[in-house]
Amino acid sequence: MKQIFYFLLVLLSWLPPARVAAQIGFPYCESFQTAGTQANTKFGGNAQLIPGVLRLTSNLLNQRGHVYLDVPFPSNYGLKVEFEYFSYGGAGPLVADGLTVFLFDGDTPVFNAGGFGGSLGYSPRNQEPGLSNAYLGIGFDEFGNFGNNGEGRIGSFTTLDQDGRAPDAIVLRGPSNQGYPFVVGRRTNEVGPAKNGLNPGDQFAISSTGTARVTDRNKPGYRKVFLELQPNLSGPGFFLKLRMEVTTELNKPRIVTIFDGAYQFAAPKNLKIGFTGSTGGYTNFHEIRNLIVQVAAGDALQEPVGVDFTDKASCAGQLNQFYITDEEVRLPNENSSIRCLQFYAALADVKEESEDLCTQARCLEENRVLIVPQGIFQASDQAGGYTFLPNEAFIDQEVTVYYTITDNYGKTSQPNSITLLIKESPDPITLKASGATQAQNEVIICKGESVKLVGEGNEEYYRFEWKKNGVLLPEANSQELVVDALGVYEIIGYNRKNCPALSNKIEVKLVAYPELKLSKPIVGCLAGQSLDVSSFIGGFDLQLFDYRMVGEGLDLTNEQLKAVKISGKFDLFVKPKGLSCYSDPFPVEVYIQEKVLEVAFDFEVAGTGIKDDASGGIFPDDMIQFSDLSEERMVKWEWDFGDETSSAEKEPTHTYGKKGKFEVVLVASDRYGCQNRFTKTVEITRSYRLMVPNAFTPQLEVNKYFVPKFKGLVSLEFSIFNSWGELIYRNSELDQEGWDGTLSGTLQEAGFYFYSLVGKATDGEKVESNGKFRLIR
């Protein structure tokens, strides 16, 4: 007894932590009052889970939120739905817009809601598309646009208010493939059929119109919806009944029937259900909670039928996996599958199915795990699957437990038995590569190579099986296997009682080469130097990898790459340490400069040959032409003119605009990025040039005028005097023709005359010049 007690303690410590009960199928219950929702509850847009409810829209303009259950149901069974909704808090005298409960094709690959505002997230809105593959939409319309044909909607109430609306209305619209047409509507605050209203005394507003959520069914403003779709046995579609529980007077909740008639549109094979809420130019909170969805044709559903399993065996000391397949049991309901598997130690422990629909909708966690002295049974997350971990104290004995199965419609079978024989398990088996000393989880091979895998253990195994990627290899039944195909391998060794020992898994994969890349071009600009090529290779690591470089008659490896003395084109290879196969070649070019680059330039005043004072002098406004005299392999030029300006042209021009000495530097580069520099000084010593002739001949066309020649002046005053000192000519124009030798139209006598010139140079220097000259007749 002590041994069994100890085993139970071990098993309890092995059990995984408790999980939230999952559900796939019907009844589907979602209260929206917990911290999360079931995995199959999908919501989007402005919808958000807040404490107590799912809020489809906030009290803001132009909102649209949706939620749908990603669980299809066959349309031939129909559907029952109930939920509470809360519509309140709208600003101003008007509230908008409303919410919709909708059905759409359950095989739709991509879901999108319809237009916001008056389209209530169901029908199109102008250029906005409607809900994808919609089948039916019931809009609870506060503002009154869902029941008109505005914004591209098809069909409307025959009678609308003066502003074209039908507020406080419940409107049924049809499928998307028919244009989302208006089918029928009821104005809940109107009386009688003439106004599409309800029976006298049934009136209520769609919204509670208050500022707070009303959750008490006995207080005014409470709303709850009951929708039933029964299959139409005599035609397409459904018989649709829509009722609401509404409270407009304190402590007087009442049931109001809204629709009760045929909806004659052919339904898709499978349907899904969802909800949208929307606002437009006016606002309201729109919320839902306590949603229950179940199959309508409950009487047509039958209970699954299980079978007794007596031919199964388990192996002690290991987790045994079993599956109850849909084919082994009978699932009478269309498109049904096993959703829930529950275990019991004895028939007396099997309880009657709860009358609570939401309890039926899930597996009870306490029935998913069963601990008995012989071991632990646990239902797995895969439908119909379960595991058994046997107690080694019960080898060669049997254990019997009972189970029920529940299908995806919530129907549960009567209990059946599972009897398992507990057999002795073999010692563990270890899978490794031949020659390895311990188990491995991966083996690296080169392309075209193979590796021998071996299963070893301290047991006499009677037979072996091999799996690749989880699939049995039918021809592999020995202790060794030569592998040349990539994949995940494992070996199973069986003892004389046919119990397996499952090995570790080894993934056989091709060598993964590091990416070869250069951090920069392999260039050595120092003439005659050797290059450390490894310093140019990104991630170079001789602890992990081997490197090889081949070309130009060389075959270099690892350390040899650190002293390369030859330029040329090479192939670079890499491989992880311990492997024989190198990567595909990575082409590289090595360039080592053999001689220093020759860089030089010259300059002159453009088109003149002037380059210094001796040849005429350079002026501030002279355009200087620079000429590159470097060797032809240059591809890049960087000029620094010495006055904080530069150029990247091969032979630029430059004007300094001031006197001074300027050190001009040219840095020229070849295509490998190697460069050299050359420096030369440009001297600008003059700001102007002035030449005055010593004679002129006014009666000849040549030398007819007496005028100074100058450069670099911005102003001048030119005066001529006779031998008596009398002024006979004066002109201040820079472009004057000069003196023609006359005074008041009379040609003056031959002889000597005197001039005076006063001016200003471009840099502001004052210019003065005086002298004599000869007039020749």
Side-chain angles (χ1 to χ4, degrees):
M1 189 64 188
K2 289 183 179 179
Q3 182 182 23
I4 296 175
F5 178 70
Y6 171 74
F7 177 70
L8 289 177
L9 287 178
V10 172
L11 293 184
L12 286 170
S13 66
W14 167 84
L15 285 175
R19 305 168 307 144
V20 175
Q23 171 196 335
I24 301 175
F26 297 97
Y28 198 99
C29 300
E30 190 69 90
S31 71
F32 297 117
Q33 297 184 64
T34 58
T37 58
Q38 300 175 61
N40 297 94
T41 305
K42 311 293 184 180
F43 52 93
N46 297 115
Q48 57 181 317
L49 193 64
I50 66 171
V53 294
L54 175 70
R55 178 168 289 172
L56 295 170
T57 74
S58 296
N59 190 17
L60 299 171
L61 300 177
N62 302 330
Q63 294 266 297
R64 175 178 50 194
H66 70 262
V67 62
Y68 70 92
L69 309 186
D70 195 17
V71 180
F73 64 92
S75 57
N76 61 331
Y77 282 132
L79 199 68
K80 287 182 179 179
V81 185
E82 64 179 75
F83 62 94
E84 295 173 298
Y85 79 77
F86 309 102
S87 176
Y88 63 96
L94 297 176
V95 294
D97 268 283
L99 66 137
T100 301
V101 54
F102 60 81
L103 299 176
F104 66 105
D105 190 335
D107 298 319
T108 298
V110 179
F111 175 86
N112 64 271
F116 68 90
S119 294
L120 300 190
Y122 181 76
S123 59
R125 180 180 183 271
N126 298 327
Q127 301 305 313
E128 283 188 273
L131 187 138
S132 50
N133 293 323
Y135 174 67
L136 175 153
I138 303 175
F140 297 79
D141 187 12
E142 300 149 6
F143 191 69
N145 279 331
F146 194 61
N148 65 25
N149 55 10
E151 300 173 325
R153 291 179 288 274
I154 296 176
S156 71
F157 282 107
T158 55
T159 302
L160 298 170
D161 291 357
Q162 290 183 349
D163 55 4
R165 296 185 294 116
D168 285 313
I170 299 177
V171 174
L172 175 59
R173 285 192 174 272
S176 56
N177 60 12
Q178 302 291 321
Y180 307 86
F182 180 97
V183 178
V184 66
R186 293 288 182 269
R187 300 185 63 173
T188 61
N189 249 343
E190 300 289 346
V191 179
K195 293 187 176 182
N196 299 107
L198 301 174
N199 293 326
D202 284 347
Q203 283 63 46
F204 65 93
I206 298 297
S207 174
S208 65
T209 68
T211 58
R213 184 185 309 140
V214 179
T215 59
D216 186 341
R217 64 189 295 267
N218 290 306
K219 291 185 178 180
Y222 178 79
R223 305 287 185 264
K224 185 171 184 178
V225 177
F226 301 89
L227 172 64
E228 184 173 343
L229 293 169
Q230 291 285 356
N232 184 357
L233 301 180
S234 60
F238 298 94
F239 284 102
L240 185 152
K241 178 182 287 188
L242 179 70
R243 297 173 301 137
M244 288 185 63
E245 182 177 4
V246 300
T247 305
T248 55
E249 296 182 56
L250 185 64
N251 296 322
K252 291 185 178 180
R254 51 196 170 88
I255 297 294
V256 178
T257 297
I258 311 297
F259 301 130
D260 190 0
Y263 180 76
Q264 296 181 324
F265 291 96
K269 180 180 179 181
N270 296 304
L271 291 167
K272 292 179 183 177
I273 186 169
F275 302 81
T276 63
S278 72
T279 64
Y282 295 94
T283 64
N284 228 2
F285 289 109
H286 297 105
E287 302 165 343
I288 61 173
R289 75 171 189 181
N290 291 336
L291 171 65
I292 299 176
V293 182
Q294 59 178 308
V295 173
D299 295 341
L301 296 175
Q302 302 177 45
E303 291 182 349
V305 179
V307 295
D308 294 331
F309 293 100
T310 58
D311 57 348
K312 295 182 182 294
S314 64
C315 298
Q318 59 182 278
L319 197 64
N320 298 265
Q321 180 75 57
F322 300 96
Y323 296 94
I324 299 175
T325 66
D326 292 353
E327 291 73 27
E328 289 178 304
V329 297
R330 191 168 76 84
L331 300 170
N333 302 316
E334 182 179 350
N335 293 337
S336 65
S337 59
I338 297 175
R339 183 185 74 198
C340 176
L341 180 62
Q342 301 185 84
F343 291 105
Y344 308 90
L347 285 173
D349 296 334
V350 181
K351 299 177 182 179
E352 291 292 328
E353 188 175 86
S354 172
E355 295 182 359
D356 180 6
L357 287 173
C358 294
T359 300
Q360 297 176 29
R362 64 181 185 272
C363 284
L364 297 179
E365 196 65 33
E366 62 266 27
N367 295 333
R368 287 173 53 82
V369 178
L370 176 63
I371 301 176
V372 293
Q374 294 88 346
I376 295 180
F377 288 84
Q378 180 171 12
S380 65
D381 289 334
Q382 183 173 350
Y386 68 95
T387 59
F388 177 54
L389 181 63
N391 184 348
E392 294 186 9
F394 290 87
I395 290 175
D396 293 330
Q397 297 184 36
E398 289 185 339
V399 56
T400 298
V401 297
Y402 299 88
Y403 75 95
T404 62
I405 54 174
T406 303
D407 71 7
N408 52 310
Y409 298 107
K411 292 298 183 180
T412 301
S413 70
Q414 295 298 312
N416 290 89
S417 64
I418 296 175
T419 299
L420 297 177
L421 174 63
I422 300 174
K423 295 182 178 181
E424 180 183 5
S425 292
D427 286 343
I429 187 169
T430 298
L431 182 60
K432 56 188 178 182
S434 179
T437 59
Q438 58 186 8
Q440 300 161 270
N441 56 21
E442 69 176 22
V443 173
I444 309 297
I445 63 173
C446 298
K447 188 175 182 180
E449 292 184 349
S450 61
V451 61
K452 181 188 291 185
L453 302 181
V454 181
E456 296 179 352
N458 297 322
E459 178 83 18
E460 183 178 355
Y461 303 105
Y462 281 72
R463 66 184 181 93
F464 298 92
E465 289 180 345
W466 288 84
K467 287 185 178 180
K468 174 189 173 186
N469 298 329
V471 178
L472 196 67
L473 297 175
E475 303 300 325
N477 50 27
S478 67
Q479 191 172 355
E480 299 177 348
L481 182 68
V482 177
V483 171
D484 59 5
L486 307 183
V488 177
Y489 292 85
E490 56 190 317
I491 187 173
I492 306 168
Y494 291 88
N495 63 6
R496 65 185 186 281
K497 294 189 176 182
N498 206 37
C499 277
L502 184 63
S503 74
N504 54 294
K505 295 180 180 180
I506 288 183
E507 182 178 4
V508 177
K509 53 186 181 181
L510 286 176
V511 55
Y513 298 103
E515 181 184 3
L516 282 173
K517 56 183 179 181
L518 300 182
S519 58
K520 55 184 176 179
I522 306 176
V523 172
C525 294
L526 183 62
Q529 76 179 114
S530 63
L531 278 182
D532 180 1
V533 172
S534 69
S535 66
F536 296 84
I537 301 173
F540 186 87
D541 188 344
L542 287 180
Q543 298 295 319
L544 299 176
F545 307 108
D546 290 320
Y547 298 85
R548 182 184 181 194
M549 194 170 79
V550 179
E552 305 296 338
L554 300 178
D555 191 342
L556 309 175
T557 59
N558 294 343
E559 294 290 346
Q560 294 174 323
L561 270 65
K562 296 185 177 182
V564 178
K565 298 182 179 180
I566 296 178
S567 297
K569 294 183 177 180
F570 298 84
D571 284 329
L572 183 64
F573 305 85
V574 66
K575 69 178 180 66
K577 290 284 188 183
L579 293 177
S580 60
C581 49
Y582 279 96
S583 66
D584 291 334
F586 179 73
V588 297
E589 182 178 0
V590 176
Y591 174 73
I592 301 174
Q593 189 166 256
E594 296 180 358
K595 65 174 185 174
V596 176
L597 290 172
E598 295 179 6
V599 177
F601 69 86
D602 202 355
F603 65 88
E604 66 174 26
V605 176
T608 67
I610 297 173
K611 60 180 65 179
D612 52 26
D613 283 349
S615 57
I618 302 174
F619 294 83
D621 59 349
D622 282 338
M623 179 183 289
I624 301 175
Q625 174 71 61
F626 292 91
S627 302
D628 175 46
L629 303 178
S630 307
E631 57 181 293
E632 291 183 354
R633 52 182 167 146
M634 301 305 177
V635 296
K636 183 179 180 182
W637 299 265
E638 298 174 73
W639 295 86
D640 182 347
F641 296 123
D643 62 349
E644 298 184 353
T645 61
S646 60
S647 174
E649 296 180 19
K650 180 180 180 182
E651 296 185 325
T653 59
H654 185 62
T655 300
Y656 283 92
K658 59 183 178 181
K659 293 188 291 185
K661 287 186 177 182
F662 302 95
E663 189 176 79
V664 181
V665 179
L666 169 62
V667 178
S669 308
D670 66 8
R671 69 185 183 93
Y672 297 101
C674 295
Q675 57 184 218
N676 203 354
R677 65 174 52 214
F678 181 77
T679 302
K680 202 167 190 177
T681 301
V682 175
E683 291 190 57
I684 300 176
T685 59
R686 300 182 183 182
S687 59
Y688 69 94
R689 181 186 296 125
L690 177 65
M691 294 184 296
V692 182
N694 59 9
F696 81 116
T697 55
Q699 290 180 303
L700 299 177
E701 285 299 320
V702 179
N703 203 22
K704 183 177 181 178
Y705 297 97
F706 181 75
V707 66
K709 304 295 184 183
F710 60 85
K711 182 176 183 180
L713 298 185
V714 294
S715 68
L716 67 81
E717 184 179 78
F718 183 51
S719 302
I720 298 176
F721 304 88
N722 61 20
S723 58
W724 300 98
E726 295 173 330
L727 178 66
I728 59 176
Y729 175 82
R730 176 170 285 170
N731 197 321
S732 298
E733 296 178 3
L734 288 174
D735 59 348
Q736 61 182 282
E737 284 186 325
W739 184 46
D740 62 359
T742 67
L743 177 62
S744 300
T746 302
L747 181 65
Q748 299 298 293
E749 295 295 330
F752 284 99
Y753 292 82
F754 300 89
Y755 73 88
S756 172
L757 186 148
V758 178
K760 186 167 66 174
T762 54
D763 63 351
E765 181 182 350
K766 186 177 181 181
V767 178
E768 293 183 320
S769 180
N770 297 285
K772 67 178 180 177
F773 65 95
R774 183 189 294 273
L775 187 155
I776 301 173
R777 295 182 63 175

